[in-house]
Amino acid sequence: KNTDVNSLIYYDSKNDVTILFFFTEGGKCVYSKLIEDVDDLESRVTEYNSKYQKISDLHWTEVKAGKIYNIRIEKDEYTLTTIISV
């Protein structure tokens, strides 16, 4: 256990999806990660293209309540990770 990181992890075993939320000491969420199978890449990109402003391949942005959110996808051989940060 890393005591320097305040996080919450949710795992959906039925769909094999993991979501991690990372918080400041004050409890404010500063970023999240969605980890899923790399086979979901095409549908996830299509979804993000319709919801967010595309910056480049696998990178989008959204302005909500005066804050800029960066959404990016990292992929490797087996997994796809969406990272959302403020």
Side-chain angles (χ1 to χ4, degrees):
K1 180 179 177 181
N2 184 346
T3 57
D4 295 331
V5 177
N6 187 11
S7 62
L8 174 67
I9 299 172
Y10 172 78
Y11 176 66
D12 179 347
S13 60
K14 181 178 179 184
N15 296 311
D16 198 25
V17 174
T18 302
I19 303 173
L20 297 94
F21 299 94
F22 297 89
F23 301 91
T24 64
E25 285 184 18
K28 180 180 176 183
C29 184
V30 289
Y31 71 97
S32 64
K33 289 184 177 185
L34 169 67
I35 304 167
E36 56 193 328
D37 192 285
V38 74
D39 292 339
D40 295 329
L41 178 63
E42 186 177 325
S43 64
R44 193 60 69 192
V45 167
T46 299
E47 175 189 351
Y48 293 168
N49 282 340
S50 70
K51 293 171 84 172
Y52 309 118
Q53 180 182 357
K54 186 173 182 176
I55 301 299
S56 63
D57 288 346
L58 308 181
H59 186 197
W60 300 263
T61 190
E62 177 182 37
V63 177
K64 193 174 197 178
K67 294 184 181 180
I68 299 172
Y69 293 86
N70 287 297
I71 301 100
R72 63 186 165 85
I73 292 177
E74 295 177 353
K75 63 179 181 141
D76 60 30
E77 187 176 353
Y78 302 107
T79 61
L80 165 70
T81 303
T82 299
I83 301 167
I84 301 175
S85 60
V86 179

